[in-house]
Amino acid sequence: MSQSGPVPPGPESLLALQFPSDPQVSPDGARVAYVLTRVEEDDPRKTDPEFPKPRYRSAVWLAGGGEEARPLTRGEGRDTSPRWSPDGTALAFVREGGGEKGQLFLLPLEGGEARRVTRFKNPVQDVQWSPDGRFLSFLTTADDEDKRDERGEARVITRPRYRFNGRDWLPERPARLWRYNVAAERLEEWHAPEVEVTGYAWLPDSSGVLLISSESEMDAAQWRQEVYRLAHSGEREQVSRWNSAVQAVVPHPDGERFVIVGRPEGKGSPEDAHLFLVEPGGEWRRLDEGWDFPVGNIVGGDMHVGAFPALPTWVDADTLLVSSTVGGSCGLFRVGLDGTVTPQDHDPEGVIPAFTARGGGVALIRERADRFPEVELNGQLVTDLNAALPFAPRSPQRVTFTTEEGQEGEGWVLLPDGEARVPAILTIHGGPHTAYGHAFTHEFQLMAARGYAVCYSNPRGSVGYGQAWASAIHGRWGTVDMADLLAFFDRCLETYPQLDAARSAVMGGSYGGYMTNWITGHTDRFAAAITDRSICNLLSFGGTSDIGLRFWDDELGLNFHRSADALRLWDMSPLKYAEAVKTPTLIVHSVLDHRCPVEQAEQWYAALHLHGVPTRFVRFPGEDHELSRSGRPDRRLKRLEEYLGWLDRWLA
């Protein structure tokens, strides 16, 4: 790009974006309430040019019913979680700001001010209306306080799980389920579980709820969960015999049966989540038996700030509407009680990361790799955020590769303008059981606009290509996945001669960071590397990660606490091969990342330094595993600046 040409967008372009989330369709299917998040200075009255403080602000918006989209709340802090009353006359929502954590408010839609419902010290979560409209329910730890750290007190730990990504220290007492009698304006604690409730759903007749929880803390740490029926009296009854992870529970309209989204006993994290119909008595069968794709959106993007609901929904007594990941796309499908799966809204080059369905209407968010996420109601656009982008998005080109077994894999390349030789970046997704694809990714668009070809693919281990493809790396990370990644990158170089193999970089986050570390320990073909929230030592990861007690058993059939497995885990650890690394490496990590703890970055940084590898370590305070997707705006900005600075330094 000539110096006299247009100035390419920089990381600060992130600050100009608005992020839609949580589309909630009205009971009659004719309107949608959604959240729109923007970035603005923390206190516009006290700006500091030397130390700007961009922060998220969000408001609840309303559209449909013959009216243009308009804000319902002021959004001076963060207004989120809009939830329609069953008669459509009111919206419950959560407000955070002014030094207070998220509290429940109730807004009459015919006019008037929002009424505050709760005044807890801690936030409320998972707000739901009872189907008859009598109650609002939610989870909260209420006024519990933990001041041990600020008082300098010792913290005594006896439970297997005590820290979790995005939450830091887990509370001594799990969040309780509360209910608010709307007419009587009476608030009361309904259920105090001994083990955390990870989800719940009201029964159709409003007689109670179905809860997802575990029998013990060790069961919870090992992802062994069950479904329980909770009556208004507080009586709780186990109604499943599942003994495995439950992502969601969806009561059938008859109130007797329900659907579990999850994996049955004996199936670990490589297994796709599916739909299972549970009969009274606990017997179950898989509904989507012939459908070899996972339930939900698992295509990664970096524009998802806020909540993205995608709970399977009964459109009638015989049919569920669900989202499912197919290749690099995600669409809506109808699943019948007879097991048939038919597409309702599936664009093979698009992603629907969120939807709700009621009253014959569907509200959703739709995005493409070259189109910003937008809210839709019954097939009509509600927002036009793409038009406000501070740059013109590029469209990726599909590139296929062939495995050594003759299977076809796919990926994409996002090309800069012009025909000149350009540096090329191989970027690797996390998971490993997620996918790249047709989601809008600001980071990729930014790099392509700055003159880098961005190459990204779905090697074996990725989802959306059938269970065999996702399970292919079980017990052998760093083998066929590395072969697929390099085969794809070679194919990109062959297909597009303007890509300069001598000026190439490899980068990734989480599992992608693991693969970046692994690849640079086994080849020096790349001129630079960026490893983000990575793993380098499988042994120490097992004892420090919030999922470490179970994760290696699922992924590798090994675990750090068994002596017979220790050497095999060390053989699969990039740290073992650190002395072979020659690639200049940028290490990025968040201090509160409990999924891939910061000690992993510290070990990798120390090892590379000892071996004389040019290394830069960027640590982010107050952030967790989600920094790149929903972290504080100024920290996301700094991360992108560090990325571009490293690439410019080594690939210029």
Side-chain angles (χ1 to χ4, degrees):
M1 186 173 293
S2 65
Q3 292 184 354
S4 60
V7 177
E12 70 282 351
S13 60
L14 178 74
L15 305 182
L17 306 180
Q18 295 192 75
F19 310 91
S21 64
D22 211 353
Q24 295 288 327
V25 70
S26 61
D28 63 2
R31 293 178 291 173
V32 58
Y34 60 97
V35 177
L36 198 57
T37 300
R38 65 193 186 280
V39 181
E40 66 179 37
E41 186 64 19
D42 187 37
D43 187 348
R45 298 163 298 180
K46 299 178 182 178
T47 58
D48 183 353
E50 299 295 320
F51 185 54
K53 297 190 230 180
R55 299 291 186 268
Y56 294 122
R57 300 285 184 265
S58 55
V60 176
W61 285 61
L62 180 67
E67 297 183 9
E68 292 292 321
R70 61 184 175 89
L72 276 180
T73 66
R74 297 186 301 273
E76 294 174 354
R78 297 195 73 172
D79 294 342
T80 61
S81 306
R83 298 294 181 265
W84 292 90
S85 63
D87 63 6
T89 64
L91 270 180
F93 69 95
V94 174
R95 171 167 288 169
E96 174 185 342
E100 288 192 303
K101 298 175 181 179
Q103 299 299 306
L104 181 61
F105 284 73
L106 190 57
L107 177 67
L109 292 179
E110 65 271 13
E113 291 295 315
R115 171 162 54 93
R116 182 166 179 167
V117 174
T118 62
R119 296 184 180 276
F120 295 125
K121 294 177 181 178
N122 295 315
V124 303
Q125 297 173 321
D126 202 353
V127 176
Q128 298 183 31
W129 287 87
S130 62
D132 61 10
R134 291 181 58 207
F135 298 101
L136 276 165
S137 57
F138 54 87
L139 291 162
T140 182
T141 53
D143 292 324
D144 294 355
E145 288 189 289
D146 185 348
K147 295 187 176 182
R148 283 174 291 183
D149 286 353
E150 63 182 85
R151 291 172 177 165
E153 297 178 14
R155 185 176 290 273
V156 179
I157 296 166
T158 58
R159 295 175 298 164
R161 300 185 311 157
Y162 53 92
R163 279 186 138 176
F164 203 80
N165 186 67
R167 298 165 64 187
D168 203 15
W169 295 111
L170 294 178
E172 288 294 306
R173 287 201 303 163
R176 276 78 72 197
L177 183 66
W178 290 67
R179 65 186 169 197
Y180 174 70
N181 187 311
V182 178
E185 298 186 16
R186 185 175 65 249
L187 184 63
E188 59 185 352
E189 184 178 297
W190 184 4
H191 176 59
E194 294 185 6
V195 182
E196 181 180 27
V197 170
T198 59
Y200 73 97
W202 278 91
L203 293 163
D205 63 358
S206 300
S207 62
V209 296
L210 296 181
L211 302 173
I212 304 169
S213 189
S214 301
E215 282 297 284
S216 70
E217 287 288 348
M218 181 56 77
D219 283 338
Q222 295 286 346
W223 307 340
R224 295 190 292 262
Q225 295 177 301
E226 299 293 349
V227 177
Y228 304 84
R229 184 189 297 264
L230 177 71
H232 279 288
S233 65
E235 181 182 355
R236 195 181 85 158
E237 174 193 7
Q238 183 175 328
V239 291
S240 71
R241 297 194 300 272
W242 190 247
N243 199 36
S244 186
V246 179
Q247 294 182 10
V249 59
V250 185
H252 186 272
D254 65 15
E256 297 297 321
R257 297 174 289 176
F258 56 89
V259 163
I260 281 176
V261 180
R263 309 175 183 94
E265 185 176 2
K267 303 290 186 180
S269 53
E271 185 80 8
D272 288 343
H274 289 288
L275 303 168
F276 299 86
L277 182 68
V278 183
E279 302 285 351
E283 297 82 10
W284 53 265
R285 64 182 174 90
R286 181 174 154 187
L287 276 185
D288 55 348
E289 187 65 47
W291 187 248
D292 202 13
F293 303 101
V295 172
N297 173 49
I298 318 178
V299 181
D302 60 3
M303 294 291 97
H304 298 168
V305 177
F308 283 75
L311 192 69
T313 303
W314 293 100
V315 294
D316 57 47
D318 297 314
T319 312
L320 271 170
L321 184 64
V322 304
S323 62
S324 183
T325 298
V326 180
S329 70
C330 179
L332 300 184
F333 299 82
R334 297 170 74 93
V335 181
L337 286 179
D338 61 359
T340 57
V341 180
T342 55
Q344 172 163 309
D345 186 348
H346 177 221
D347 175 4
E349 295 186 351
V351 170
I352 297 175
F355 82 95
T356 55
R358 293 173 79 183
V362 178
L364 57 83
I365 292 176
R366 191 190 308 274
E367 62 187 304
R368 291 171 61 105
D370 57 1
R371 185 167 180 81
F372 197 78
E374 306 278 12
V375 179
E376 289 185 16
L377 174 64
N378 299 326
Q380 300 297 313
L381 274 175
V382 167
T383 57
D384 191 12
L385 303 171
N386 195 74
L389 288 178
F391 55 85
R394 288 164 164 77
S395 300
Q397 306 300 312
R398 184 172 182 265
V399 176
T400 61
F401 64 93
T402 304
T403 72
E404 78 281 359
E405 297 175 358
Q407 304 159 296
E408 182 180 86
E410 72 172 341
W412 300 266
V413 57
L414 206 58
L415 295 169
D417 294 332
E419 300 298 325
R421 297 274 280 173
V422 295
I425 303 168
L426 171 63
T427 183
I428 309 168
H429 68 64
H433 309 298
T434 62
Y436 276 144
H438 302 288
F440 188 93
T441 306
H442 171 260
E443 180 179 307
F444 293 175
Q445 293 284 344
L446 175 62
M447 290 178 176
R450 297 287 289 251
Y452 296 98
V454 184
C455 307
Y456 52 104
S457 69
N458 289 326
R460 277 171 284 182
S462 307
V463 299
Y465 302 90
Q467 188 60 60
W469 187 269
S471 299
I473 63 170
H474 180 264
R476 50 177 186 166
W477 282 25
T479 58
V480 297
D481 43 2
M482 176 175 166
D484 288 358
L485 289 163
L486 297 183
F488 161 72
F489 192 59
D490 287 339
R491 190 79 178 104
C492 291
L493 297 174
E494 295 167 6
T495 306
Y496 298 98
Q498 67 266 45
L499 273 57
D500 189 347
R503 291 188 297 152
S504 63
V506 59
M507 70 182 197
S510 196
Y511 162 80
Y514 165 89
M515 286 305 303
T516 297
N517 299 341
W518 181 266
I519 286 172
T520 57
H522 290 78
T523 176
D524 59 1
R525 65 177 288 177
F526 293 97
I530 301 175
T531 185
D532 199 330
R533 56 191 185 278
S534 75
I535 301 170
C536 73
N537 184 340
L538 275 58
L539 287 163
S540 65
F541 174 91
T544 56
S545 169
D546 61 357
I547 59 173
L549 296 183
R550 167 79 183 257
F551 192 63
W552 293 141
D553 279 310
D554 278 3
E555 289 293 328
L556 306 174
L558 308 169
N559 215 320
F560 74 104
H561 60 85
R562 294 190 288 264
S563 59
D565 296 345
L567 287 179
R568 294 178 63 194
L569 286 170
W570 180 242
D571 286 342
M572 283 192 242
S573 297
L575 193 60
K576 177 180 177 179
Y577 311 96
E579 59 191 320
V581 177
K582 301 293 187 292
T583 310
T585 300
L586 172 67
I587 302 171
V588 177
H589 221 104
S590 297
V591 173
L592 295 182
D593 188 339
H594 298 310
R595 187 60 36 86
C596 297
V598 70
E599 58 91 18
Q600 295 285 314
E602 292 167 342
Q603 291 186 69
W604 195 239
Y605 176 69
L608 297 192
H609 249 295
L610 287 171
H611 290 289
V613 179
T615 311
R616 182 178 175 91
F617 184 11
V618 183
R619 295 166 58 104
F620 286 94
E623 296 293 339
D624 56 43
H625 202 64
E626 301 304 310
L627 167 63
S628 65
R629 296 177 279 260
S630 57
R632 210 172 76 179
D634 55 332
R635 294 169 180 157
R636 291 182 69 178
L637 203 65
K638 174 64 173 174
R639 174 184 171 276
L640 291 171
E641 289 171 350
E642 289 288 342
Y643 267 51
L644 290 172
W646 194 254
L647 296 173
D648 289 348
R649 175 180 175 185
W650 294 100
L651 304 187

Coordinates of all heavy atoms in Angstrom, one line a residue, residues 151-207:
R151 N -8.3 -8.7 53.6 CA -7.9 -8.6 55.0 C -6.5 -9.4 55.2 O -6.0 -9.3 56.3 CB -9.0 -9.3 55.9 CG -10.2 -8.5 56.0 CD -11.3 -9.3 56.7 NE -12.6 -8.6 56.8 CZ -13.7 -9.1 57.1 NH1 -13.8 -10.4 57.3 NH2 -14.8 -8.4 57.3
G152 N -6.1 -10.0 54.2 CA -4.8 -10.7 54.3 C -4.9 -12.0 55.1 O -4.0 -12.5 55.7
E153 N -6.1 -12.6 55.1 CA -6.4 -13.8 55.8 C -6.0 -15.0 55.0 O -6.0 -15.0 53.8 CB -7.9 -13.9 56.2 CG -8.4 -12.8 57.2 CD -9.8 -13.0 57.5 OE1 -10.4 -14.0 57.2 OE2 -10.4 -12.0 58.0
A154 N -5.7 -16.1 55.7 CA -5.4 -17.4 55.0 C -6.7 -17.9 54.4 O -7.8 -17.7 54.9 CB -4.9 -18.4 56.0
R155 N -6.6 -18.5 53.3 CA -7.7 -19.1 52.6 C -7.6 -20.7 52.7 O -6.7 -21.2 52.1 CB -7.8 -18.7 51.1 CG -9.0 -19.2 50.3 CD -9.0 -18.6 48.9 NE -9.2 -17.2 48.9 CZ -10.4 -16.6 48.9 NH1 -11.5 -17.4 48.8 NH2 -10.6 -15.3 48.9
V156 N -8.5 -21.3 53.4 CA -8.4 -22.7 53.6 C -9.3 -23.4 52.6 O -10.5 -23.1 52.4 CB -8.9 -23.1 55.0 CG1 -8.9 -24.6 55.2 CG2 -8.1 -22.4 56.1
I157 N -8.7 -24.3 51.8 CA -9.4 -24.9 50.7 C -9.6 -26.4 50.9 O -8.6 -27.1 51.3 CB -8.7 -24.7 49.4 CG1 -8.6 -23.2 49.1 CG2 -9.3 -25.5 48.2 CD1 -7.6 -22.8 48.0
T158 N -10.8 -26.9 50.8 CA -11.1 -28.3 51.0 C -11.8 -29.0 49.9 O -12.0 -30.2 49.8 CB -11.9 -28.6 52.3 OG1 -13.1 -27.8 52.2 CG2 -11.1 -28.1 53.5
R159 N -12.3 -28.2 48.9 CA -13.1 -28.7 47.8 C -12.3 -28.9 46.6 O -11.2 -28.2 46.4 CB -14.2 -27.7 47.5 CG -15.3 -27.5 48.6 CD -16.3 -26.4 48.2 NE -15.6 -25.1 48.0 CZ -16.1 -24.1 47.4 NH1 -17.3 -24.1 46.9 NH2 -15.4 -22.9 47.3
P160 N -12.6 -29.8 45.7 CA -11.8 -30.1 44.5 C -11.8 -28.9 43.5 O -10.8 -28.7 42.9 CB -12.4 -31.3 43.9 CG -13.8 -31.4 44.5 CD -13.7 -30.8 45.8
R161 N -12.9 -28.2 43.5 CA -13.0 -27.0 42.6 C -13.1 -25.8 43.5 O -13.9 -25.7 44.4 CB -14.3 -27.0 41.7 CG -14.4 -28.2 40.8 CD -15.6 -28.0 39.9 NE -16.8 -27.6 40.7 CZ -17.9 -27.0 40.2 NH1 -17.9 -26.6 39.0 NH2 -18.9 -26.8 41.0
Y162 N -12.2 -24.8 43.3 CA -12.2 -23.6 44.1 C -12.0 -22.3 43.3 O -12.1 -21.2 43.8 CB -11.2 -23.7 45.3 CG -9.8 -24.1 44.8 CD1 -8.9 -23.1 44.5 CD2 -9.4 -25.4 44.7 CE1 -7.6 -23.4 44.2 CE2 -8.1 -25.7 44.3 CZ -7.2 -24.7 44.0 OH -5.9 -25.0 43.6
R163 N -11.5 -22.5 42.1 CA -11.4 -21.3 41.2 C -11.9 -21.7 39.8 O -11.9 -22.9 39.4 CB -9.9 -20.9 41.0 CG -9.3 -20.1 42.1 CD -7.9 -19.6 41.9 NE -7.8 -18.2 42.3 CZ -6.6 -17.6 42.2 NH1 -5.6 -18.2 41.7 NH2 -6.6 -16.3 42.6
F164 N -12.4 -20.7 39.1 CA -13.0 -21.0 37.8 C -12.8 -19.8 36.9 O -12.9 -18.6 37.3 CB -14.5 -21.3 37.9 CG -15.0 -22.1 36.8 CD1 -14.9 -23.5 36.7 CD2 -15.7 -21.5 35.7 CE1 -15.3 -24.2 35.7 CE2 -16.2 -22.2 34.7 CZ -16.0 -23.6 34.6
N165 N -12.5 -20.1 35.6 CA -12.3 -19.0 34.7 C -13.5 -18.1 34.6 O -14.6 -18.5 34.5 CB -12.0 -19.6 33.3 CG -11.5 -18.5 32.3 OD1 -10.5 -17.9 32.5 ND2 -12.4 -18.2 31.4
G166 N -13.2 -16.8 34.6 CA -14.2 -15.8 34.5 C -14.9 -15.4 35.9 O -15.7 -14.5 35.9
R167 N -14.6 -16.2 36.9 CA -15.2 -16.0 38.2 C -14.1 -15.9 39.3 O -14.5 -15.4 40.4 CB -16.1 -17.1 38.5 CG -17.3 -17.2 37.5 CD -18.0 -18.6 37.6 NE -18.7 -18.7 38.9 CZ -19.2 -19.8 39.3 NH1 -19.2 -20.9 38.6 NH2 -19.8 -19.9 40.5
D168 N -12.9 -16.3 39.1 CA -11.9 -16.4 40.1 C -12.3 -17.3 41.2 O -12.7 -18.4 41.0 CB -11.5 -14.9 40.5 CG -10.1 -14.9 41.1 OD1 -9.3 -15.9 40.9 OD2 -9.7 -13.9 41.8
W169 N -12.2 -16.8 42.5 CA -12.5 -17.7 43.6 C -14.0 -18.0 43.6 O -14.8 -17.2 43.4 CB -12.2 -17.0 44.9 CG -10.7 -16.8 45.2 CD1 -10.1 -15.5 45.2 CD2 -9.7 -17.7 45.4 NE1 -8.8 -15.7 45.4 CE2 -8.5 -17.0 45.6 CE3 -9.7 -19.1 45.5 CZ2 -7.3 -17.6 45.8 CZ3 -8.5 -19.7 45.7 CH2 -7.3 -19.0 45.9
L170 N -14.3 -19.3 43.7 CA -15.7 -19.7 43.8 C -16.2 -19.5 45.2 O -15.5 -19.6 46.1 CB -15.8 -21.2 43.4 CG -15.5 -21.6 42.0 CD1 -15.6 -23.1 41.8 CD2 -16.4 -20.9 41.0
P171 N -17.5 -19.1 45.3 CA -18.0 -18.7 46.6 C -18.1 -20.0 47.5 O -18.2 -21.1 47.1 CB -19.4 -18.2 46.3 CG -19.8 -18.9 45.0 CD -18.5 -19.0 44.2
E172 N -18.0 -19.7 48.8 CA -18.1 -20.8 49.8 C -19.4 -21.5 49.7 O -19.5 -22.7 49.9 CB -17.8 -20.2 51.2 CG -16.4 -19.8 51.5 CD -15.5 -21.0 51.5 OE1 -15.7 -22.0 52.2 OE2 -14.5 -21.0 50.7
R173 N -20.5 -20.7 49.5 CA -21.8 -21.2 49.3 C -22.2 -21.0 47.9 O -22.1 -19.9 47.4 CB -22.8 -20.5 50.3 CG -22.7 -20.9 51.7 CD -24.1 -20.6 52.4 NE -24.5 -19.2 52.3 CZ -25.7 -18.7 52.5 NH1 -26.6 -19.5 52.9 NH2 -26.0 -17.4 52.4
P174 N -22.8 -22.0 47.2 CA -23.2 -21.8 45.9 C -24.4 -20.7 45.8 O -25.0 -20.5 46.8 CB -23.7 -23.2 45.4 CG -23.1 -24.1 46.4 CD -23.0 -23.4 47.7
A175 N -24.5 -20.2 44.6 CA -25.7 -19.3 44.4 C -27.0 -20.0 44.7 O -27.2 -21.1 44.4 CB -25.6 -18.7 43.0
R176 N -27.9 -19.2 45.3 CA -29.2 -19.8 45.6 C -30.2 -19.4 44.5 O -30.0 -18.3 43.9 CB -29.7 -19.3 47.0 CG -29.2 -20.1 48.2 CD -27.8 -19.7 48.5 NE -27.7 -18.4 49.2 CZ -26.6 -17.7 49.3 NH1 -25.4 -18.2 48.8 NH2 -26.6 -16.5 49.9
L177 N -31.3 -20.2 44.4 CA -32.3 -19.8 43.5 C -33.4 -19.0 44.3 O -33.9 -19.4 45.3 CB -33.0 -21.1 42.9 CG -34.1 -20.9 41.9 CD1 -33.5 -20.2 40.6 CD2 -34.8 -22.2 41.5
W178 N -33.7 -17.8 43.7 CA -34.7 -16.9 44.4 C -35.9 -16.8 43.5 O -35.8 -17.0 42.3 CB -34.0 -15.5 44.6 CG -33.0 -15.5 45.6 CD1 -31.7 -16.1 45.6 CD2 -33.0 -14.8 46.9 NE1 -31.0 -15.8 46.7 CE2 -31.8 -15.1 47.6 CE3 -34.0 -14.0 47.5 CZ2 -31.5 -14.5 48.8 CZ3 -33.7 -13.5 48.8 CH2 -32.5 -13.8 49.4
R179 N -37.0 -16.3 44.0 CA -38.2 -16.0 43.2 C -38.8 -14.7 43.8 O -38.8 -14.5 45.0 CB -39.2 -17.2 43.2 CG -39.8 -17.5 44.6 CD -40.6 -18.7 44.5 NE -41.0 -19.1 45.9 CZ -41.4 -20.3 46.2 NH1 -41.6 -21.2 45.3 NH2 -41.7 -20.6 47.5
Y180 N -39.4 -14.0 42.9 CA -40.0 -12.7 43.2 C -41.5 -12.8 42.8 O -41.8 -13.0 41.6 CB -39.3 -11.6 42.5 CG -39.9 -10.2 42.6 CD1 -39.9 -9.6 43.9 CD2 -40.5 -9.6 41.5 CE1 -40.5 -8.3 44.0 CE2 -41.1 -8.4 41.7 CZ -41.1 -7.7 42.9 OH -41.7 -6.5 43.0
N181 N -42.4 -12.7 43.7 CA -43.8 -12.6 43.4 C -44.1 -11.2 42.9 O -44.1 -10.3 43.7 CB -44.6 -13.0 44.7 CG -46.1 -13.1 44.4 OD1 -46.7 -12.2 43.7 ND2 -46.7 -14.2 44.9
V182 N -44.4 -11.1 41.6 CA -44.6 -9.8 41.0 C -45.7 -9.0 41.5 O -45.6 -7.8 41.8 CB -44.7 -10.0 39.4 CG1 -44.9 -8.6 38.8 CG2 -43.5 -10.7 38.9
A183 N -46.9 -9.7 41.6 CA -48.1 -8.9 42.1 C -47.9 -8.5 43.6 O -48.3 -7.4 43.9 CB -49.3 -9.8 42.0
A184 N -47.4 -9.4 44.4 CA -47.2 -9.1 45.8 C -46.0 -8.3 46.1 O -45.8 -7.9 47.3 CB -47.2 -10.4 46.6
E185 N -45.1 -8.2 45.1 CA -43.8 -7.5 45.3 C -43.0 -8.1 46.5 O -42.4 -7.5 47.3 CB -43.9 -6.0 45.5 CG -44.6 -5.3 44.3 CD -44.6 -3.8 44.5 OE1 -43.9 -3.3 45.3 OE2 -45.4 -3.2 43.7
R186 N -43.0 -9.5 46.5 CA -42.4 -10.2 47.6 C -41.2 -11.0 47.1 O -41.4 -11.8 46.1 CB -43.4 -11.1 48.3 CG -42.8 -11.8 49.5 CD -43.8 -12.6 50.3 NE -44.4 -13.7 49.5 CZ -45.6 -13.8 49.0 NH1 -46.4 -12.7 49.3 NH2 -46.0 -14.8 48.3
L187 N -40.0 -10.9 47.7 CA -38.8 -11.6 47.3 C -38.5 -12.6 48.3 O -38.5 -12.3 49.5 CB -37.7 -10.5 47.1 CG -36.3 -11.0 46.6 CD1 -36.5 -11.6 45.2 CD2 -35.3 -9.9 46.6
E188 N -38.1 -13.8 47.9 CA -37.8 -14.9 48.9 C -36.8 -15.8 48.2 O -36.7 -16.1 47.0 CB -39.0 -15.6 49.3 CG -39.8 -16.3 48.2 CD -41.0 -17.0 48.7 OE1 -41.3 -17.0 49.9 OE2 -41.8 -17.4 47.9
E189 N -35.9 -16.4 49.1 CA -35.0 -17.5 48.7 C -35.8 -18.7 48.6 O -36.5 -19.1 49.5 CB -33.9 -17.6 49.7 CG -32.8 -18.6 49.3 CD -31.7 -18.7 50.4 OE1 -31.0 -17.7 50.6 OE2 -31.6 -19.8 51.0
W190 N -35.6 -19.4 47.4 CA -36.4 -20.6 47.1 C -35.7 -21.9 47.4 O -36.2 -22.8 48.0 CB -36.8 -20.5 45.6 CG -37.8 -21.6 45.1 CD1 -38.3 -22.6 45.8 CD2 -38.2 -21.7 43.8 NE1 -39.1 -23.3 45.0 CE2 -39.1 -22.8 43.8 CE3 -38.0 -21.0 42.6 CZ2 -39.7 -23.2 42.6 CZ3 -38.6 -21.4 41.5 CH2 -39.5 -22.5 41.4
H191 N -34.4 -21.9 46.9 CA -33.6 -23.2 47.0 C -32.2 -22.9 47.3 O -31.6 -22.1 46.5 CB -33.8 -24.0 45.8 CG -33.0 -25.2 45.7 ND1 -33.1 -26.2 46.7 CD2 -32.0 -25.7 44.9 CE1 -32.2 -27.2 46.4 NE2 -31.6 -26.9 45.3
A192 N -31.6 -23.5 48.3 CA -30.2 -23.3 48.6 C -29.5 -24.6 48.3 O -29.5 -25.5 49.2 CB -30.0 -22.9 50.1
P193 N -28.9 -24.8 47.2 CA -28.2 -26.1 46.8 C -26.9 -26.3 47.6 O -26.2 -25.3 47.9 CB -28.0 -26.0 45.3 CG -27.8 -24.5 45.1 CD -28.7 -23.8 46.1
E194 N -26.6 -27.6 47.8 CA -25.3 -27.9 48.4 C -24.2 -27.8 47.3 O -23.0 -27.5 47.6 CB -25.3 -29.2 49.0 CG -26.2 -29.3 50.3 CD -26.2 -30.7 50.9 OE1 -25.3 -31.5 50.5 OE2 -26.9 -30.9 51.9
V195 N -24.5 -28.1 46.1 CA -23.6 -28.1 44.9 C -24.2 -27.1 43.9 O -25.4 -27.0 43.7 CB -23.4 -29.5 44.3 CG1 -22.4 -29.4 43.2 CG2 -22.9 -30.4 45.4
E196 N -23.4 -26.4 43.2 CA -23.8 -25.3 42.3 C -24.8 -25.8 41.3 O -24.7 -26.9 40.7 CB -22.6 -24.8 41.6 CG -22.9 -23.7 40.6 CD -21.7 -23.1 39.9 OE1 -20.7 -23.9 39.7 OE2 -21.7 -22.0 39.5
V197 N -25.9 -25.0 41.1 CA -26.8 -25.1 40.0 C -26.3 -24.4 38.8 O -26.0 -23.2 38.8 CB -28.2 -24.5 40.4 CG1 -29.1 -24.5 39.2 CG2 -28.8 -25.3 41.6
T198 N -26.1 -25.2 37.7 CA -25.5 -24.6 36.5 C -26.5 -24.2 35.5 O -26.2 -23.7 34.4 CB -24.5 -25.6 35.9 OG1 -25.2 -26.8 35.5 CG2 -23.4 -25.9 36.9
G199 N -27.8 -24.5 35.7 CA -28.8 -24.1 34.8 C -30.2 -24.6 35.3 O -30.3 -25.5 36.2
Y200 N -31.3 -24.0 34.8 CA -32.6 -24.4 35.2 C -33.6 -24.0 34.2 O -33.3 -23.1 33.3 CB -32.9 -23.9 36.6 CG -33.3 -22.4 36.7 CD1 -34.6 -21.9 36.7 CD2 -32.2 -21.4 36.8 CE1 -34.9 -20.6 36.7 CE2 -32.5 -20.1 36.8 CZ -33.8 -19.7 36.8 OH -34.1 -18.3 36.9
A201 N -34.8 -24.5 34.3 CA -35.9 -24.2 33.3 C -37.2 -24.4 34.0 O -37.4 -25.4 34.7 CB -35.8 -25.0 32.0
W202 N -38.1 -23.5 33.8 CA -39.5 -23.6 34.4 C -40.3 -24.7 33.7 O -40.1 -24.9 32.5 CB -40.2 -22.3 34.2 CG -39.9 -21.3 35.3 CD1 -39.0 -20.3 35.3 CD2 -40.6 -21.2 36.6 NE1 -39.0 -19.6 36.4 CE2 -40.0 -20.1 37.3 CE3 -41.6 -21.8 37.2 CZ2 -40.4 -19.7 38.5 CZ3 -42.0 -21.4 38.5 CH2 -41.4 -20.4 39.1
L203 N -41.0 -25.4 34.5 CA -42.0 -26.4 33.9 C -43.1 -25.6 33.3 O -43.5 -24.5 33.7 CB -42.5 -27.3 35.0 CG -41.4 -28.3 35.6 CD1 -41.9 -28.8 36.9 CD2 -41.1 -29.3 34.6
P204 N -43.7 -26.2 32.2 CA -44.8 -25.5 31.5 C -46.0 -25.0 32.3 O -46.6 -24.0 32.0 CB -45.2 -26.5 30.4 CG -44.1 -27.4 30.3 CD -43.4 -27.5 31.6
D205 N -46.3 -25.8 33.4 CA -47.5 -25.4 34.2 C -47.1 -24.5 35.4 O -47.9 -24.3 36.2 CB -48.2 -26.7 34.7 CG -47.3 -27.5 35.6 OD1 -46.2 -27.2 35.8 OD2 -47.8 -28.6 36.1
S206 N -45.8 -24.1 35.4 CA -45.4 -23.2 36.5 C -45.4 -23.8 37.9 O -45.3 -23.1 38.9 CB -46.2 -21.9 36.5 OG -46.1 -21.2 35.3
S207 N -45.4 -25.1 37.9 CA -45.4 -25.8 39.2 C -44.1 -25.9 39.9 O -43.9 -26.2 41.0 CB -46.0 -27.2 39.1 OG -45.2 -28.0 38.2

